Amino acid sequence: MQPRMRIPDTMMTDFNKKSQISMEKMMRYPGYICRKTWKLGRDDPRRLIHAFKVGLSLTLVSLLYLMEPLFKGVGQNAIWAVMTVVVVLEFTAGATICKGLNRGFGTLLAACLAFLFEIIAREYGKVFRAVFIGASIFIIGASTTFLRFFPKIKKNYDYGVLIFLLTFNLITVSSYRVDDILKLAKGRIYTIAIGSGVCFLMSLFIFPNWSGEDLHNSTVTKIEGLAKAIEACVEKYLTDEESEMEIDNTSDDPIYKNYKAVLDSKSTDETLAHHASWEPRHSWHCHKFPYQQYVKLGGVLRHFGYGVVALHGCLQTEIRTPRSVRLLFKDPCIHLASEVTTALMELANSIRNRRHSSPEILTERLQQALQDLNTALKSQPRLFLGPNSPNNTSKMLAYVAATARQKLERHPSSLKPDSNPNTPTLFDRKSKGGTEAEKRVLRPTLSKLTITSLEFSEALPFAAFVALLVELVARLDRVIEEVDELGRVACFKEFKHCDEVTMDVEKRTPTEINLPNPVGGE
């Protein structure tokens, strides 16, 4: 009888610790799910309402199966009503109408064409009928698929063309084994119409969510995000303390998050604008929603956002202006950034309240801020010229040689000859007075020291920062023009001087846009 192997106490201890940790994680997991679910619903209560609307819609169309009188009327075709609700009912009314109409017209056209082909095929024998059905499926399938490559068809009617192709194939193939093809087509059309009608009822009359409103609110959020990013950039660049350069942690930077939402908004704006074009006029004044102007304004905001990206890049430069120099121009720079931020917040408030912006948005205050900055720059001319020292070059070369020797001593393996005697050694591979190893060491060091030895090296990064800040002022003019054009096209109410121009830079929960997922089939 062989003795049993004894498990070491250390292994048992480690196993018990891991088991205990795993049990603690499993116990915390339900609470984590509840907190995430609560946060998701609290951030946008419309999601919970939409979930109830979908559940209620599915319950209503399921009555076609559950109630005997209704089931006798539609039969097994009731499943198409359920599938229509699952596929068509989207978060916004525009997306639902777009999908519903595409599905309805695609099904109707496919049923009519399939019925016509069936009438032609029945005039001849069964063999000809099979060949004719196969040929028609090939021709319609190939032509319809090629039709989907047209940009306008792809953008507006891709789902309808896909449903047309699917319905045509189902009815045409089924007609070869089913005698009453007309009943088959009518049953599917009726049930799809019932499902689409339930979707339209839920989307348009029960707590509707409009794509135009989402596009409107996202535009306001983007402008406010740019204003917050500019203010934070200037404040952080001109702070009294030296900030660490953390390029890898940009995803956690609030400045990065604010302008990233603007730069990544192109596809979202176009999708919302497309769905808004399908929505009926639902405002009190029944004005047509200017979705194209919102898309155009989004493009201008992205162009403005690129300047904010460059301004944010000044916080992560390799060569930095000394803190003492930055503090000399802190007040005029913060004043100019404050005026730009105030102008952006006024534009955001005017769009939010659907009124024209203040005609004095580019007033003497912004011009005075530019003049103050210009005066401050002129008051320190030596910072941009620097002392003319003839010893800069010799000091630079001496420092380069010392740094090169240190790096070569630190990596002596790079100087060892190769084991192959036919291979030239590192000392043999000379080119223009220096070895390759020396070049690899000297080239980056020389580049950086050459820049820092320039007479204006201390002021060069700050000059770039100021130039970008002034460029944002120039780009702001384009944003104001587009907002004014939006107000004119959308018939915003006129600006009243009693309206206060406020600057709200408190932390807001960003508006999340819920877009429908593309569906490739039923």
Side-chain angles (χ1 to χ4, degrees), residues 138-269:
F138 172 77
I139 295 173
I140 295 299
S143 59
T144 303
T145 303
F146 183 77
L147 189 66
R148 294 177 63 193
F149 289 107
F150 286 91
K152 191 172 183 180
I153 299 295
K154 185 73 174 179
K155 179 181 179 181
N156 299 295
Y157 311 107
D158 184 69
Y159 182 69
V161 174
L162 190 65
I163 293 300
F164 165 81
L165 179 60
L166 180 61
T167 305
F168 176 81
N169 281 273
L170 288 176
I171 296 179
T172 304
V173 173
S174 300
S175 65
Y176 189 73
R177 301 295 180 182
V178 179
D179 294 332
D180 195 355
I181 186 61
L182 182 60
K183 182 180 179 180
L184 178 65
K186 287 170 59 177
R188 178 163 186 181
I189 291 175
Y190 289 158
T191 52
I192 288 179
I194 293 173
S196 298
V198 172
C199 294
F200 292 161
L201 176 66
M202 292 292 174
S203 295
L204 295 176
F205 300 104
I206 301 180
F207 299 104
N209 300 320
W210 305 104
S211 298
E213 289 296 323
D214 283 349
L215 181 59
H216 176 87
N217 295 331
S218 67
T219 303
V220 175
T221 304
K222 287 186 293 185
I223 297 177
E224 291 177 341
L226 290 175
K228 297 172 185 177
I230 293 174
E231 185 182 44
C233 275
V234 176
E235 185 69 26
K236 189 173 181 180
Y237 184 80
L238 300 173
T239 187
D240 294 343
E241 299 178 358
E242 290 287 347
S243 58
E244 295 292 334
M245 183 175 60
E246 299 179 353
I247 300 178
D248 296 335
N249 297 331
T250 54
S251 58
D252 299 331
D253 191 352
I255 301 175
Y256 173 77
K257 291 180 179 179
N258 281 324
Y259 66 70
K260 184 179 184 296
V262 179
L263 302 181
D264 297 343
S265 64
K266 186 176 187 296
S267 60
T268 303
D269 290 350

Side-chain angles (χ1 to χ4, degrees), residues 230-455:
I230 293 174
E231 185 182 44
C233 275
V234 176
E235 185 69 26
K236 189 173 181 180
Y237 184 80
L238 300 173
T239 187
D240 294 343
E241 299 178 358
E242 290 287 347
S243 58
E244 295 292 334
M245 183 175 60
E246 299 179 353
I247 300 178
D248 296 335
N249 297 331
T250 54
S251 58
D252 299 331
D253 191 352
I255 301 175
Y256 173 77
K257 291 180 179 179
N258 281 324
Y259 66 70
K260 184 179 184 296
V262 179
L263 302 181
D264 297 343
S265 64
K266 186 176 187 296
S267 60
T268 303
D269 290 350
E270 291 178 349
T271 302
L272 289 175
H274 169 61
H275 292 158
S277 64
W278 290 84
E279 293 177 348
R281 301 184 182 185
H282 52 273
S283 62
W284 288 105
H285 303 286
C286 291
H287 295 306
K288 183 179 179 181
F289 186 78
Y291 54 91
Q292 291 292 350
Q293 189 61 34
Y294 277 95
V295 174
K296 189 176 180 181
L297 175 58
V300 175
L301 290 178
R302 283 189 294 275
H303 179 67
F304 186 88
Y306 297 143
V308 181
V309 174
L311 193 70
H312 186 216
C314 294
L315 304 178
Q316 300 174 338
T317 55
E318 294 285 345
I319 303 172
R320 298 190 177 188
T321 301
R323 183 178 57 185
S324 58
V325 177
R326 284 181 278 140
L327 290 178
L328 292 174
F329 307 96
K330 180 178 179 180
D331 291 339
C333 286
I334 290 181
H335 184 205
L336 181 59
S338 176
E339 294 300 328
V340 174
T341 303
T342 302
L344 288 173
M345 296 303 296
E346 161 60 15
L347 294 176
N349 289 331
S350 66
I351 297 177
R352 178 187 292 109
N353 300 322
R354 287 182 168 84
R355 63 167 173 80
H356 287 279
S357 59
S358 172
E360 301 175 355
I361 192 170
L362 285 177
T363 56
E364 296 179 356
R365 292 189 304 174
L366 187 56
Q367 300 296 331
Q368 185 62 40
L370 288 171
Q371 290 297 330
D372 293 344
L373 180 60
N374 185 44
T375 302
L377 293 174
K378 287 183 177 179
S379 64
Q380 302 291 336
R382 293 182 61 83
L383 291 176
F384 299 94
L385 296 179
N388 187 13
S389 177
N391 299 323
N392 283 342
T393 303
S394 58
K395 292 180 180 180
M396 178 191 69
L397 293 178
Y399 184 79
V400 169
T403 305
R405 284 194 299 270
Q406 293 177 1
K407 290 190 176 183
L408 291 176
E409 293 174 358
R410 192 179 306 159
H411 303 284
S413 59
S414 61
L415 300 178
K416 292 181 180 180
D418 196 278
S419 59
N420 187 358
N422 296 326
T423 304
T425 62
L426 184 62
F427 294 98
D428 294 334
R429 293 184 298 225
K430 295 184 179 181
S431 174
K432 296 183 180 180
T435 63
E436 294 181 3
E438 291 172 345
K439 287 186 177 182
R440 286 195 297 268
V441 175
L442 294 180
R443 190 176 295 114
T445 307
L446 182 60
S447 300
K448 189 171 182 178
L449 289 175
T450 302
I451 296 173
T452 55
S453 66
L454 296 176
E455 296 178 354

Side-chain angles (χ1 to χ4, degrees), residues 293 355-356 482-493:
Q293 189 61 34
R355 63 167 173 80
H356 287 279
E482 292 300 329
V483 173
D484 291 341
E485 180 65 17
L486 174 63
R488 184 187 65 81
V489 176
C491 301
F492 286 174
K493 59 184 179 182

